[in-house]
Amino acid sequence: MSNNQYARFRSLLPTSPVLVGTVISSAACSTTVEYPGGPRVVVRGSATVSSAVFVRGGAIEGPAPSLPVVTAEV
């Protein structure tokens, strides 16, 4: 175990979250993804239009299952 307190603290923090979105448009190496609720972002990678994808850190990680989306406010 490290004696560096900052490194130990950083290990407790989560990495970039994995988000699920729907592909709106796709070009050679960039894709526009729409997240549930409406925000759209341009990410690296390519995928089929209207498919669901996993996105982490601004890049497509792979296909996601097409499941119903449920949002809840707390």
Side-chain angles (χ1 to χ4, degrees):
M1 185 175 291
S2 172
N3 288 333
N4 184 339
Q5 295 298 319
Y6 181 71
R8 291 177 66 194
F9 174 72
R10 290 282 300 173
S11 70
L12 297 174
L13 299 175
T15 58
S16 297
V18 176
L19 304 170
V20 177
T22 304
V23 175
I24 301 300
S25 66
S26 184
C29 57
S30 66
T31 300
T32 303
V33 175
E34 182 176 52
Y35 294 126
R40 293 182 180 185
V41 294
V42 177
V43 297
R44 295 182 312 274
S46 61
T48 307
V49 175
S50 298
S51 65
V53 292
F54 289 119
V55 177
R56 182 191 311 225
I60 294 176
E61 286 203 341
S66 295
L67 301 173
V69 176
V70 177
T71 57
E73 290 190 33
V74 179

